[in-house]
Amino acid sequence: MSAAGESGNRAQQMREKAQKLTEAAERTTDPQERQKLKEQARGLQEQSKQQGQPGESRSKGTAGGGRNQ
């Protein structure tokens, strides 16, 4: 279970960092910086999906991707 627990913990940390990046993007007035932060947040969200729920993300693919918004 430790491997699964570590994976879930890492996924949670990635989601939290993605949230912070999204919030920072909303606060910035520089359009290029905002886009950069949003892209970083999006990448972390995708990675956290793969880390946190490997069986589910493989079986669902991208078709169910709008679920967490």
Side-chain angles (χ1 to χ4, degrees):
M1 178 174 131
S2 70
E6 289 174 21
S7 180
N9 187 34
R10 182 178 167 121
Q12 178 63 32
Q13 290 174 344
M14 293 170 104
R15 285 189 294 270
E16 290 171 3
K17 186 170 182 177
Q19 181 63 35
K20 289 179 184 180
L21 287 169
T22 300
E23 291 169 1
E26 292 172 0
R27 289 190 303 266
T28 190
T29 57
D30 181 357
Q32 290 179 331
E33 183 69 12
R34 181 180 300 123
Q35 183 65 27
K36 176 183 166 186
L37 292 169
K38 285 183 178 182
E39 288 174 4
Q40 289 175 344
R42 193 175 308 119
L44 281 173
Q45 288 170 343
E46 289 300 316
Q47 287 179 354
S48 74
K49 287 179 191 176
Q50 293 172 4
Q51 285 284 323
Q53 302 168 3
E56 185 175 329
S57 65
R58 282 187 205 124
S59 63
K60 299 261 184 209
T62 56
R67 209 168 36 125
N68 64 346
Q69 290 183 356

